[in-house]
């Protein structure tokens, strides 16, 4: 799949801070690759689908998502 | 997207498979089961309605009871007035006796699910729908995972309902919508505050860049000394931190001594209605179908009304055995007539609202106050309110030219 291909070039750098995440799924609503999804109660990340677009980082109401080495991948 | 799964131990056949048992899913499950259709609602959470992701302000007692008998166990307050604060903290207030019920959303969702079960629907909690089943270009069921034992199974359905909320996967699997663009979603967060003097029957709204850029902050009382205090911000306009940072500052400023309870958060759709909410064998309802109000973010009544319109069309479609997109599009039209046309207007107003700076909003509130003062209780239609507001902002046509033309 296209998304998987791009992740080979740019491995997933998205991280979830579970100490502040309240599983609201705002991030899942903006995730265009369906990499973020709510399990029954917690947020799950399918790393091979993530393309580090950082839209989820933008909308997270609690600031629980971040990209490692963010400076290299400024949000569009 | 997968074909019917050969690995599943069991394949069931139902008339209607509903993905998500919240407000819209719960009501629709009940109504269709009452008509005699075999209806199963799948809810991925172990307990219906938990965790709550909602401000919990609904319509009046009369409006809510049209859909489910009102039970005082999930009604926590009945509000009589609304007050809107400008950035300079002047306000306009409107008396509207009994206009809003404050709910315990978990109890409310559970009541709808219980009503559905009473009418013969089956509700399966802790069962997560993992994908749709397809027969050519037609959705013909769902693949489900029972989270309790890890077992996957297929359910063939004549129609699949996406009632899975703002992050809807059904809509995206069925190619009816895509992800939200950041400009079409609000980032919202809320605390349940206790031990402070709140007005018990009046909700309050605060607008302005300091408190909630591109959105508003709310104080929704939940009985004595308790309130939902939250705010929604536009993610691209919030320059000073996350929604939670804004809320922390808001609470510190207005309720420094409050006991901060549970944290609630969520994304709220601020988009226009979808072009279509239906496909062959699939239909969306509630926030999955972008049915909430893009200006206020409210969606409880819209979800109930959306489910009601969906029910009417689905009943006919199932009886005539025509679940094609062509037939189900009657639901698109019915929704547009009932609420969609308003939602389109609110989406434009949302864009206009973004163009106003704090000084403009101060002027608008002052003008509205003059209007209320001149004829108390007379403001009845949105048109007059917005006409007054529009006139109050100098250069408004220039500011909003890109939205209007």
């Amino acid at each position: 799949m296209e998304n998987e291909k791009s992740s080979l070039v740019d491995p997933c750098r998205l991280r979830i801070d579970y100490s502040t995440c309240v599983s609201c799924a705002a991030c899942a609503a903006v995730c265009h690759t369906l990499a973020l999804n709510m399990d029954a109660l917690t947020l799950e990340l399918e790393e091979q689908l993530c393309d580090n677009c950082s839209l989820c980082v933008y909308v997270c109401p609690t600031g629980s998502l971040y990209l490692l080495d963010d400076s290299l991948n400024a949000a569009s | 997207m997968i074909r019917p799964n050969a690995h599943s131990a069991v394949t069931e056949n139902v008339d209607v498979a509903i993905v998500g048992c919240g407000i819209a899913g719960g009501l629709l499950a009940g109504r269709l089961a009452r008509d005699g259709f075999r209806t199963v609602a799948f809810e991925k959470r172990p307990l219906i309605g938990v965790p709550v992701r909602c401000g919990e302000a609904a319509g009046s007692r009369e409006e809510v009871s049209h859909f489910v008998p009102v039970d005082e166990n999930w009604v926590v307050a009945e509000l009589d007035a609304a007050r809107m604060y400008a950035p300079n903290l002047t306000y306009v207030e409107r008396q509207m006796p009994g206009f809003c019920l404050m709910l315990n959303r978990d109890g409310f969702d559970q009541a709808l699910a219980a009503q559905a079960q009473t009418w013969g629907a089956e509700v399966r909690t802790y069962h997560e729908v993992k994908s749709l089943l397809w027969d050519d270009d037609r959705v013909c069921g769902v693949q489900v995972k029972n989270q309790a034992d890890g077992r996957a199974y297929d359910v063939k359905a004549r129609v699949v309902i996406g009632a899975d909320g703002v992050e809807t996967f059904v809509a995206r699997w069925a190619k009816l919508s895509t992800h939200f663009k950041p400009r079409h979603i609000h980032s919202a967060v809320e605390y349940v505050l206790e031990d402070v003097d709140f007005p018990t029957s009046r909700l309050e709204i605060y607008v302005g860049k300091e408190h909630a850029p591109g959105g508003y902050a709310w104080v929704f009382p939940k009985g004595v000394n308790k309130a939902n205090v939250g705010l929604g911000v536009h993610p691209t306009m919030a320059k000073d931190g996350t929604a939670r940072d804004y809320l922390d500052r808001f609470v510190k400023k207005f309720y420094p001594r409050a006991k901060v309870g549970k944290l609630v958060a969520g994304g709220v759709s601020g988009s226009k209605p979808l072009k279509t909410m239906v496909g062959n064998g699939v239909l969306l309802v509630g926030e999955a179908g972008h049915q909430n109000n893009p200006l206020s973010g409210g969606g409880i009544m819209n979800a109930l009304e959306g489910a009601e319109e969906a029910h009417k069309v689905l009943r006919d479609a199932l009886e005539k055995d025509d679940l094609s997109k062509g037939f189900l599009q009657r639901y698109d039209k019915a929704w547009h007539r009932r609420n969609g046309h308003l939602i389109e207007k609110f989406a434009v107003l949302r864009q206009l609202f973004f163009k106003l700076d704090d000084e403009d909003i101060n002027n608008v509130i002052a003008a509205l106050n003059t209007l209320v003062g001149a004829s108390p209780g007379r403001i009845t239609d949105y048109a007059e309110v917005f006409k007054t507001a529009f006139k109050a902002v100098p250069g408004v046509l220039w500011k909003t030219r890109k939205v209007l033309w």
Side-chain angles (χ1 to χ4, degrees):
Chain A
M1 275 170 64
E2 197 183 330
N3 295 330
E4 287 171 4
K5 200 167 141 193
S6 67
S7 70
L8 292 177
V9 181
D10 188 10
C12 175
R13 290 180 288 112
L14 183 67
R15 296 294 180 269
I16 304 166
D17 182 351
Y18 282 105
S19 67
T20 52
C21 173
V22 292
S23 305
C24 75
C27 51
V30 295
C31 180
H32 70 119
T33 65
L34 300 178
L36 287 159
N37 185 21
M38 290 296 303
D39 196 350
L41 284 171
T42 51
L43 181 63
E44 283 197 336
L45 168 64
E46 271 198 58
E47 294 199 358
Q48 70 273 24
L49 294 180
C50 176
D51 67 356
N52 302 311
C53 75
S54 81
L55 291 183
C56 53
V57 178
Y58 253 98
V59 302
C60 178
T62 60
S64 305
L65 294 164
Y66 58 96
L67 283 180
L68 296 174
D69 198 10
D70 209 7
S71 59
L72 293 176
N73 196 49
S76 54
Chain B
M1 264 184 273
I2 56 165
R3 303 285 152 189
N5 188 343
H7 303 293
S8 292
V10 192
T11 300
E12 302 172 55
N13 285 292
V14 301
D15 291 316
V16 188
I18 299 181
V19 185
C21 194
I23 291 179
L27 181 68
L28 191 52
R31 293 264 175 111
L32 288 169
R34 192 174 56 175
D35 292 335
F37 300 110
R38 174 145 165 67
T39 307
V40 182
F42 301 95
E43 170 57 54
K44 66 182 172 185
R45 296 166 173 173
L47 189 57
I48 302 265
V50 180
V52 171
R53 280 165 29 189
C54 187
E56 304 182 296
S60 69
R61 183 174 289 271
E62 190 187 349
E63 287 165 339
V64 173
S65 62
H66 173 67
F67 300 99
V68 59
V70 172
D71 180 342
E72 300 309 319
N73 285 325
W74 44 257
V75 171
V76 286
E78 196 160 358
L79 308 186
D80 298 322
R83 186 182 276 191
M84 184 188 274
Y85 284 92
N88 64 7
L89 296 185
T90 55
Y91 63 82
V92 60
E93 184 168 322
R94 189 176 169 194
Q95 300 294 325
M96 298 173 280
F99 80 106
C100 168
L101 287 184
M102 284 301 301
L103 309 178
N104 274 333
R105 257 298 297 278
D106 44 358
F108 182 63
D109 287 19
Q110 285 158 16
L112 283 164
Q115 174 176 265
Q117 286 170 316
T118 308
W119 284 337
E122 192 182 336
V123 178
R124 292 184 196 166
T125 52
Y126 216 24
H127 284 237
E128 182 175 358
V129 170
K130 288 292 192 183
S131 59
L132 299 178
L133 306 177
W134 291 81
D135 179 8
D136 285 335
D137 64 341
R138 206 185 140 263
V139 175
C140 66
V142 287
Q143 191 196 39
V144 189
K145 185 180 176 191
N146 178 347
Q147 297 284 13
D149 62 12
R151 186 175 60 95
Y153 60 100
D154 290 350
V155 176
K156 300 262 264 176
R158 293 165 71 193
V159 63
V160 174
I161 310 299
D164 47 346
V166 66
E167 72 269 29
T168 176
F169 275 50
V170 173
R172 293 193 265 176
W173 289 329
K175 305 266 185 269
L176 295 174
S177 76
T178 58
H179 64 288
F180 278 92
K181 315 286 185 295
R183 66 176 183 279
H184 287 148
I185 197 163
H186 287 118
S187 185
V189 65
E190 172 186 88
Y191 288 126
V192 181
L193 291 193
E194 291 181 57
D195 294 347
V196 182
D197 256 351
F198 293 105
T200 51
S201 63
R202 178 181 74 220
L203 68 79
E204 296 180 346
I205 301 286
Y206 293 76
V207 285
K209 296 233 171 358
E210 181 197 341
H211 301 131
Y216 65 90
W218 63 82
V219 179
F220 293 163
K222 289 188 82 175
V224 180
N225 294 339
K226 194 172 171 189
N228 287 344
V229 178
L231 53 80
V233 300
H234 193 291
T236 62
M237 293 165 81
K239 304 292 182 203
D240 298 322
T242 62
R244 189 177 183 176
D245 295 331
Y246 278 92
L247 182 59
D248 285 337
R249 285 194 291 271
F250 182 83
V251 169
K252 199 172 164 194
K253 179 172 175 181
F254 291 100
Y255 304 104
R257 285 186 297 281
K259 186 174 135 201
V260 177
K262 196 174 55 168
L263 171 70
V264 176
V268 183
S269 156
S271 83
K272 289 188 292 191
L274 290 175
K275 282 199 185 101
T276 180
M277 298 178 287
V278 300
N280 289 320
V282 61
L283 178 148
L284 305 175
V285 68
E287 203 163 5
H290 297 202
Q291 290 182 337
N292 64 321
N293 181 324
L295 186 65
S296 72
I300 294 177
M301 300 313 295
N302 296 31
L304 291 168
E305 289 164 7
E308 186 165 80
E309 294 304 329
H311 165 241
K312 291 180 202 160
V313 173
L314 284 167
R315 183 187 54 204
D316 294 348
L318 288 160
E319 273 168 9
K320 292 188 169 64
D321 199 22
D322 182 359
L323 283 310
S324 67
K325 180 173 179 170
F327 193 95
L328 295 179
Q329 275 171 338
R330 294 178 187 199
Y331 164 59
D332 282 332
K333 291 200 184 81
W335 173 251
H336 184 82
R337 275 197 302 275
R338 182 153 182 179
N339 257 334
H341 67 286
L342 285 172
I343 289 175
E344 274 170 16
K345 293 192 178 80
F346 279 119
V348 174
L349 286 171
R350 176 175 178 267
Q351 298 293 326
L352 294 178
F353 172 66
F354 290 155
K355 302 287 175 189
L356 304 181
D357 56 35
D358 282 3
E359 192 50 40
D360 296 332
I361 298 171
N362 289 336
N363 290 335
V364 168
I365 300 280
L368 290 177
N369 251 327
T370 316
L371 187 67
V372 177
S375 49
R378 200 179 63 83
I379 314 180
T380 47
D381 63 354
Y382 287 120
E384 191 170 7
V385 171
F386 288 114
K387 212 166 86 185
T388 309
F390 216 63
K391 280 186 194 160
V393 181
V396 66
L397 287 176
W398 180 250
K399 276 185 184 177
T400 57
R401 65 194 183 284
K402 283 187 182 158
V403 179
L404 295 172
W405 292 280

